[in-house]
Amino acid sequence: MDVMESCASLILPTPSLASFKCRTVSPLKMSMNNSPNVFLDTNANRFQVNIINESRDNNEASQEDVGSDPPHYEETSFTDEAHNKLRIKASLHPYDTHNKMYYLQTFGHNTMDPVPKIDYYRNTGSVSGNKLNRPSLLEIHEQLAKVMERVANGESTAGDETTASKEEENKTGLVKFGWVKGVLVRCMLNIWGVMLFIRLSWIVGQAGIGLGVIIILLATMVTSITGLSTSAIATNGFVRGGGAYYLISRSLGPEFGGSIGLIFAFANAVAVAMYVVGFAETVVELLKESDTIMVDESNDIRIIGTITVVCLLGISVAGMEWEAKAQVILLVVLLIAIANFFIGTVIPTNNEKKARGFFNYQASIFAENFGPDFRGGEGFFSVFAIFFPAATGILAGANISGDLKDPQGAIPKGTMLAILITTVAYIGVAISSCVVRDATGNINDTAVSGMSCNGSSACNLGYDFSRCRNQPCDYGLMNNFQVMSMVSGFGPLITAGIFSATLSSALASLVSAPKVFQALCKDNVYKGLHFFAKGYGKNNEPIRGYVLTFVIAMAFILIAELNTIAPIISNFFLASYALINFSCFHASYAKSPGWRPAFRYYNMWVSLFGALLCCGVMFVINWWAALITYAIELFLYIYVTYKKPEVNWGSSTQALYYINALDSALALTAVEDHVKNFRPQCIVLTGAPMIRPALLDITHTFTKNNGLCICCEVYTGPRKLCVKEMNSGMAKKQAWLTKNKRKAFYAAVAADSFRDGVKSLLQASGLGRMKPNTLVIGFKKDWRNAAASQVENYVGVIHDAFDFELGMIIVRISQGFDITQVLFFSICLPTATRCLTRQKSFHIFFLISESTINTIQSMHMGEFNQKLLEASTQFKKKQGKGTIDIWWLFDDGGLTILIPYILTIRKKWKNCKLRIFTGGKANRIEEEKLVMASLLSKFRIKFADINIICDINMKPNKESWKFFEEMIEPYRLHESCKDITTAEKLKQETPWKITDAELEAFKEKSYRQVRLNELLQEHSRAANLIVLSLPVARKGVVSDYLYMAWLEILSKNLPPTLMVRGNHKNVLTFYS
């Protein structure tokens, strides 16, 4: 019932008062209406009935409507009376409660159509809510009465919505973070890592302020572009846990996602070691100052690092809530430490600090430090490699995307703001370098009056640090990693800041690595790692992942050298960033309608530039490490591609496959067909492909990697049941083809008859130039027992193929193709009671009694169907040395010779030689041989032998002819033995029977088919395969049963036989 019908049902009691109109109104508009007859309602989708006086003055109406509702166009008028001066608006709510019938009463009238709701679009197993199933199109289209009956009986699914909402309300205890606490804080802490306090001063000393700022901006460019790409991907749908792995895998597919996910998780685990070593270095410096070194510097770093990572593991295992609280405290300490540094730069320095190279803000120091002074074999990119991990924290928020309240909003906002704030801080610290590169720390090293300073700013400021040129010094930007602590207003605060920065970054990485790894393992991309997918507690904490991360971090902590660890993870992070940028570019380039990111501030070409920039930086930093990274990634990519995980995430790779295929198909339509490019493109009437595997196998042999192959099935019977069964089986049967490595498509139609269905397939199958040109069917072995209508349909299909100018191949093997019986009993015999329920899926419409099942079970299964099973697999096996005998009797354009040639270039048939048989005259055998040999050599087709058959037109022997006559006897009319009236009556009742006149007219042709079988028995009985010219029956002249008798006698008692007839257009050429 539509809207107008609903309105009509509401106004029937008073049709004479006025004309009625019906529209949907919102609660806001209803509440703003001052009419006393308006009943307010919070439900936004109710109907409002307006009773309108048609005779009302137009001016009055226009004055009332000014500034209110838009013009309303009345569509239906039920009366022409104009005497009613009253205008009434009434909100009618026939269904104000959710009862059993509510599911069928979306708008207050009987319909199953549901209103749009997010729960219909959820994935099964969604963590954010339960998936609801909307009514199927079939239920809306045809099944309303049945559904209403089911609802009335209490079988409605109406409760699904209530149940889902209750389950959603009961999901308590989950810790979810907003964009500040979950992303901004986490990213800032991770970016402001160990590099800010104990390496940035060294980087400025090596590269100078100018190049130092360029290093920071270059790193920021990489991270900013990556941040934009991350924001675009993160806002293109609901984001679950897994961070970079989730974003890449859902965009580029499991191959890229699986390979980079493992690398990214490993990089985060190594990052834990880097930050902990940075923390341990600071502690060791403090121990050195107080002369309390435990063993030596390296071993002390290992000892302190081990203790630290154990403590961090404890905090992480305690849960995300504790970790988040710790992060906030650490951020406060970090901000105070940074502020303390800037305050320290303006506090007047003292002699001790001057001796260590700190002179407050001085133009001469700024000028001296502005240029580079690379030492110790360092260069721009080696220094960049050490700094770059400081920028790698941009994914800290995305890595815990599963623990965010709103990942789509939080990730872009928090990530981009964190990049901006931290970049400003880094540049501020770099520019605020008030310390000279080298200082002795000795307050007595003052400049002597009148000495030449040679441009040294320290000398100009009264200190002589010239001896640092000849011997190592302990202070200055180049020598002291604790410069920020010295410069600050209160040194211990910087130490606290270092502790905060290193520990917070280590903590963030320690949480990120297991989360990413858990998401990877949950997707079961690497089946051997599924052990680590298990989570514990209300937040599904990856305890096993924490332990693994701890082990990896411990292994790298034992290196105890920060400058060695940093470049290792730089390449891994850059590889991850490159793929995130490429994911954004790829998704945009694929132009999939599903690519609709809410974040608009990105550009596909900028993302591509970011990906190339990341790859370039990887090689510039360390070319051999980049090669190793890509080698590992390539190995993992090949592994995942080979394993083919059963996942479908709608990746942009899939979208691009479609775009490329569409573009290629469209481009192909502009290319004219040429005989040199001819290839068999086949429709194979296999039914369900698993039912006739041998027919599919022989066709697949000459179409694989060469031409189109479409397995077709025709459903006949009650249309509703056929369509339902067809729709339910399409995906399964295509999946069977894929699983069994058959490069073929599956297509099905529902039709009134088999012939009508095939006719539809012949006309509509294919796309553009990729249309079938050859029909392949199995020989109808049971034609003598089948109904006349089935034989008529079968022969009619052959006629239709010729009408549509398709080539025709009829394949015959001794046991037949249909292995339904084998499949049926192999499934049902172990549990006989389930046999009858499984019959329909195999189109078996007979019943098996209990006694029959017991009899079959008592037989050996191998004995029961061994021959049929062997026949069904004969074309899968490699053919031994033998021959393919080609009986090329009639020129059909060359298809009869092309098919066997293609077979011989296949691996399974390459040991078979071609033998050619053709008709000729007895007195011209050698000439005929030379002509055929010349023709084949021009076609560049190798052959083993040519045989000229001279006695094709001889009469067959009596036994063979007698067999043929006995075979057609049940189908003969014998009208010559009856009177004219009886004969005419029989022709009308059984028009399909063979008349005496027809048999006499085609007696010579019948002789030829019988004689050919004798010759085939004589010459080709031992062949691996026979390919022979298919006889053509003229439409309306040769009866169906006579034609079937020709095919039967022609191919009887022979090896596997292909009866081939091309469409009489050239498929071979000898021109280049």
Side-chain angles (χ1 to χ4, degrees), residues 504-628:
S504 63
S505 298
L507 195 56
S509 297
L510 188 57
V511 169
S512 296
K515 291 282 185 182
V516 172
F517 194 62
Q518 183 186 37
L520 175 68
C521 297
K522 274 185 177 179
D523 288 335
N524 210 17
V525 175
Y526 302 101
K527 296 186 183 297
L529 300 178
H530 193 65
F531 171 80
F532 295 98
K534 183 175 176 58
Y536 297 87
K538 61 186 180 183
N539 258 42
N540 198 32
E541 295 292 343
I543 304 298
R544 295 173 179 177
Y546 284 130
V547 174
L548 180 62
T549 304
F550 169 78
V551 172
I552 295 171
M554 277 300 305
F556 280 87
I557 285 171
L558 296 178
I559 296 175
E561 183 57 51
L562 188 63
N563 287 11
T564 303
I565 299 172
I568 294 174
I569 63 172
S570 289
N571 272 299
F572 285 166
F573 279 118
L574 278 166
S576 304
Y577 293 170
L579 275 183
I580 289 175
N581 285 308
F582 184 74
S583 298
C584 183
F585 164 76
H586 200 270
S588 303
Y589 184 75
K591 297 176 184 175
S592 170
W595 174 249
R596 302 185 302 275
F599 184 81
R600 297 292 180 186
Y601 305 103
Y602 74 96
N603 180 275
M604 60 184 286
W605 301 111
V606 172
S607 296
L608 179 61
F609 171 73
L612 296 174
L613 182 63
C614 290
C615 294
V617 170
M618 283 179 67
F619 280 95
V620 171
I621 287 175
N622 192 322
W623 65 268
W624 58 264
L627 287 176
I628 291 173

Side-chain angles (χ1 to χ4, degrees), residues 68 203 255 270 321 332 384 427 570 581 664 673 874 883 909 926:
S68 58
I203 289 167
E255 296 85 5
V270 177
E321 195 171 3
V332 172
F384 176 80
I427 293 175
S570 289
N581 285 308
S664 298
D673 289 332
Q874 62 181 304
T883 63
W909 293 85
E926 293 304 320

Side-chain angles (χ1 to χ4, degrees), residues 642-759:
Y642 176 75
K643 289 295 183 181
K644 286 189 173 74
E646 295 180 0
V647 294
N648 183 11
W649 296 322
S651 66
S652 61
T653 305
Q654 294 172 323
L656 197 61
Y657 283 159
Y658 177 83
I659 292 294
N660 290 338
L662 184 62
D663 289 343
S664 298
L666 289 171
L668 198 59
T669 58
V671 179
E672 292 294 329
D673 289 332
H674 194 281
V675 63
K676 285 197 294 185
N677 294 322
F678 177 87
R679 59 198 65 228
Q681 303 197 111
C682 300
I683 277 188
V684 198
L685 299 184
T686 57
M690 64 285 290
I691 298 300
R692 294 175 179 83
L695 183 60
L696 173 59
D697 289 339
I698 187 63
T699 309
H700 188 254
T701 304
F702 56 80
T703 61
K704 181 183 179 183
N705 298 327
N706 187 56
L708 183 68
C709 181
I710 306 176
C711 297
C712 295
E713 185 170 12
V714 178
Y715 289 83
T716 58
R719 185 173 183 80
K720 193 184 302 182
L721 294 176
C722 286
V723 170
K724 184 178 180 181
E725 187 174 355
M726 179 179 71
N727 291 340
S728 64
M730 293 283 283
K732 294 177 183 175
K733 289 164 186 175
Q734 184 63 58
W736 184 91
L737 289 170
T738 304
K739 184 178 179 181
N740 288 272
K741 298 180 180 177
R742 297 292 180 266
K743 294 185 177 181
F745 300 96
Y746 172 78
V749 292
D752 295 332
S753 69
F754 174 73
R755 183 178 182 181
D756 288 342
V758 175
K759 197 182 295 184

Side-chain angles (χ1 to χ4, degrees), residues 843-856:
H843 308 283
I844 300 174
F845 301 103
F846 57 85
L847 297 178
I848 301 176
S849 65
E850 190 173 334
S851 60
T852 306
I853 291 174
N854 291 336
T855 304
I856 294 171

Side-chain angles (χ1 to χ4, degrees), residues 697-881:
D697 289 339
I698 187 63
T699 309
H700 188 254
T701 304
F702 56 80
T703 61
K704 181 183 179 183
N705 298 327
N706 187 56
L708 183 68
C709 181
I710 306 176
C711 297
C712 295
E713 185 170 12
V714 178
Y715 289 83
T716 58
R719 185 173 183 80
K720 193 184 302 182
L721 294 176
C722 286
V723 170
K724 184 178 180 181
E725 187 174 355
M726 179 179 71
N727 291 340
S728 64
M730 293 283 283
K732 294 177 183 175
K733 289 164 186 175
Q734 184 63 58
W736 184 91
L737 289 170
T738 304
K739 184 178 179 181
N740 288 272
K741 298 180 180 177
R742 297 292 180 266
K743 294 185 177 181
F745 300 96
Y746 172 78
V749 292
D752 295 332
S753 69
F754 174 73
R755 183 178 182 181
D756 288 342
V758 175
K759 197 182 295 184
S760 299
L761 289 165
L762 294 178
Q763 295 177 85
S765 295
L767 185 69
R769 296 286 180 192
M770 294 185 294
K771 289 184 70 70
N773 54 32
T774 307
L775 174 64
V776 181
I777 60 174
F779 179 72
K780 188 170 179 60
K781 193 179 177 185
D782 64 344
W783 66 274
R784 283 187 276 182
N785 300 319
S789 59
Q790 292 183 7
V791 176
E792 181 184 0
N793 279 334
Y794 182 83
V795 177
V797 164
I798 299 173
H799 288 310
D800 292 337
F802 291 144
D803 286 343
F804 296 132
E805 295 189 340
L806 268 70
M808 186 76 209
I809 300 176
I810 300 176
V811 189
R812 182 173 185 179
I813 58 177
S814 58
Q815 298 298 320
F817 291 104
D818 195 335
I819 62 166
T820 302
Q821 198 174 15
V822 175
L823 294 174
F824 179 72
F825 286 116
S826 65
I827 291 174
C828 293
L829 281 180
T831 53
T833 56
R834 294 196 320 211
C835 284
L836 300 181
T837 64
R838 300 295 296 271
Q839 288 178 39
K840 189 173 181 181
S841 63
F842 293 114
H843 308 283
I844 300 174
F845 301 103
F846 57 85
L847 297 178
I848 301 176
S849 65
E850 190 173 334
S851 60
T852 306
I853 291 174
N854 291 336
T855 304
I856 294 171
Q857 283 179 328
S858 65
M859 299 172 65
H860 192 273
M861 186 63 196
E863 179 186 346
F864 186 72
N865 274 320
Q866 187 64 33
K867 288 186 178 179
L868 186 58
L869 198 59
E870 286 178 0
S872 70
T873 59
Q874 62 181 304
F875 297 125
K876 291 180 182 177
K877 301 172 184 174
K878 187 172 183 179
Q879 305 294 316
K881 288 185 178 181

